């Protein structure tokens, strides 16, 4: 039972355009959401997060939107750069289990020059 | 120097062999985790430890065991490796101060079981 789902395994975007990565979840008890970025041969690194009491969090070119009623979050990257090419994982925190994270399957973003 | 290190980085072994993957961290964090990554399945939690005396099973602990030797060290063992344990394994840490903690990951160990 996949509680956090990223239904797009891959996404290709032109440099300078917007990249939108989507994530859906099923557990309404999740109260904190994170995005991680992973380059080949490296471990995932934290990118941006959002608390369930907010609907938007912005950090430079990266913005995360949360729609609690739809149980959906998205990561917007504007403008996209070739260095953004990586696998992006969304994750949700389980408050009843000390903040343990549940990860989605990942979306591989390719930004073409 | 990396804050979270994993050894070995790559390992090829045969079915039935015992394998140990090691993780060390210099961040001073109490909480440590082991994940595996498989194509199309993302990161799945194998075991986690909130302190030296606390070990918990994750969603896919069958066939694995762990040892928390010290605050800084958390090892994952495959007692009798099988081919479907071929995967990329990651260790991670966080401070454990609250639900907003960020996890810090090691570089991963690529394990192939023949």
């Amino acid at each position: 039972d996949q509680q956090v789902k990223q239904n797009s395994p891959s996404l290709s975007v032109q440099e300078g355009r917007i990249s939108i990565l989507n994530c859906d979840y099923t557990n309404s008890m999740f109260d904190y959401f994170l995005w991680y970025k992973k380059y080949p041969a490296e471990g995932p690194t934290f990118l941006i997060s959002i608390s369930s009491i907010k609907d938007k969090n912005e950090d430079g070119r990266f913005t995360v939107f949360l729609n609690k009623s739809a149980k959906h979050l998205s990561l917007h990257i504007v403008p996209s750069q070739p260095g953004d090419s990586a696998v992006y994982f969304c994750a949700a925190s389980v408050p009843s289990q000390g903040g343990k994270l549940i990860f989605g399957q990942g979306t591989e973003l390719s930004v073409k020059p | 120097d990396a804050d979270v290190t994993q050894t070995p980085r790559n390992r090829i072994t045969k079915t039935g062999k015992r394998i140990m993957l090691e993780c060390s961290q210099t961040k001073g964090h109490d909480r440590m985790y082991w994940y595996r990554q498989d194509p199309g399945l993302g990161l799945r939690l194998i075991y986690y430890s909130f302190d030296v005396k606390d070990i918990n099973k994750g969603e896919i602990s069958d066939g694995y065991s762990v040892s928390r030797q010290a605050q800084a060290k958390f090892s994952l063992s495959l007692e009798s490796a099988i081919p479907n344990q071929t995967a990329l394994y990651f260790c991670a840490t966080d401070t454990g101060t609250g639900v907003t903690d960020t996890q810090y990951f090691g570089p991963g160990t690529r394990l192939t079981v023949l």
Side-chain angles (χ1 to χ4, degrees):
Chain A
D1 180 27
Q2 191 82 25
Q3 295 186 68
V4 178
K5 298 180 183 180
Q6 295 175 256
N7 292 316
S8 297
S10 62
L11 175 67
S12 184
V13 171
Q14 205 68 30
E15 181 179 6
R17 306 295 290 268
I18 184 171
S19 295
I20 300 176
L21 295 92
N22 294 304
C23 180
D24 297 296
Y25 62 95
T26 57
N27 190 340
S28 59
M29 298 302 293
F30 290 150
D31 66 353
Y32 193 67
F33 303 89
L34 307 90
W35 284 94
Y36 280 80
K37 178 178 180 179
K38 184 187 177 303
Y39 291 119
E42 295 183 10
T45 55
F46 170 74
L47 184 59
I48 192 169
S49 61
I50 188 167
S51 166
S52 60
I53 63 173
K54 295 185 175 181
D55 56 18
K56 177 182 175 181
N57 189 28
E58 191 171 355
D59 183 2
R61 295 185 297 114
F62 302 91
T63 303
V64 56
F65 295 92
L66 175 62
N67 182 334
K68 287 183 64 178
S69 61
K71 295 190 178 66
H72 177 83
L73 65 155
S74 61
L75 174 68
H76 292 210
I77 306 174
V78 182
S80 301
Q81 299 173 354
D84 296 329
S85 297
V87 177
Y88 290 79
F89 293 99
C90 70
S93 175
V94 186
S96 63
Q97 298 182 35
K100 192 177 70 172
L101 295 180
I102 305 294
F103 284 85
Q105 305 97 311
T107 296
E108 183 170 10
L109 173 65
S110 176
V111 180
K112 309 272 187 211
Chain B
D1 288 339
D3 295 318
V4 184
T5 57
Q6 294 183 233
T7 56
R9 292 295 311 278
N10 290 282
R11 181 71 184 267
I12 299 174
T13 191
K14 294 182 179 180
T15 297
K17 294 291 188 182
R18 184 179 187 274
I19 296 295
M20 179 180 285
L21 309 183
E22 299 187 347
C23 176
S24 294
Q25 52 111 350
T26 59
K27 299 189 76 67
H29 290 170
D30 286 326
R31 308 205 301 195
M32 299 187 74
Y33 307 81
W34 275 104
Y35 294 90
R36 64 177 279 178
Q37 183 191 354
D38 298 277
L41 295 177
L43 293 162
R44 293 182 294 165
L45 184 62
I46 306 172
Y47 269 95
Y48 60 104
S49 170
F50 283 175
D51 65 42
V52 174
K53 297 181 180 180
D54 177 77
I55 302 288
N56 303 282
K57 292 183 177 181
E59 56 182 310
I60 52 163
S61 59
D62 287 349
Y64 301 94
S65 62
V66 290
S67 173
R68 184 80 184 266
Q69 301 94 325
Q71 186 203 37
K73 295 185 182 295
F74 193 35
S75 300
L76 177 71
S77 293
L78 288 67
E79 297 301 326
S80 179
I82 56 177
N84 77 1
Q85 291 177 313
T86 293
L88 193 50
Y89 290 84
F90 290 102
C91 173
T93 75
D94 69 31
T95 60
T97 56
V99 296
T100 60
D101 293 336
T102 297
Q103 289 188 13
Y104 297 86
F105 285 79
T109 294
R110 183 167 295 281
L111 177 66
T112 303
V113 183
L114 301 176

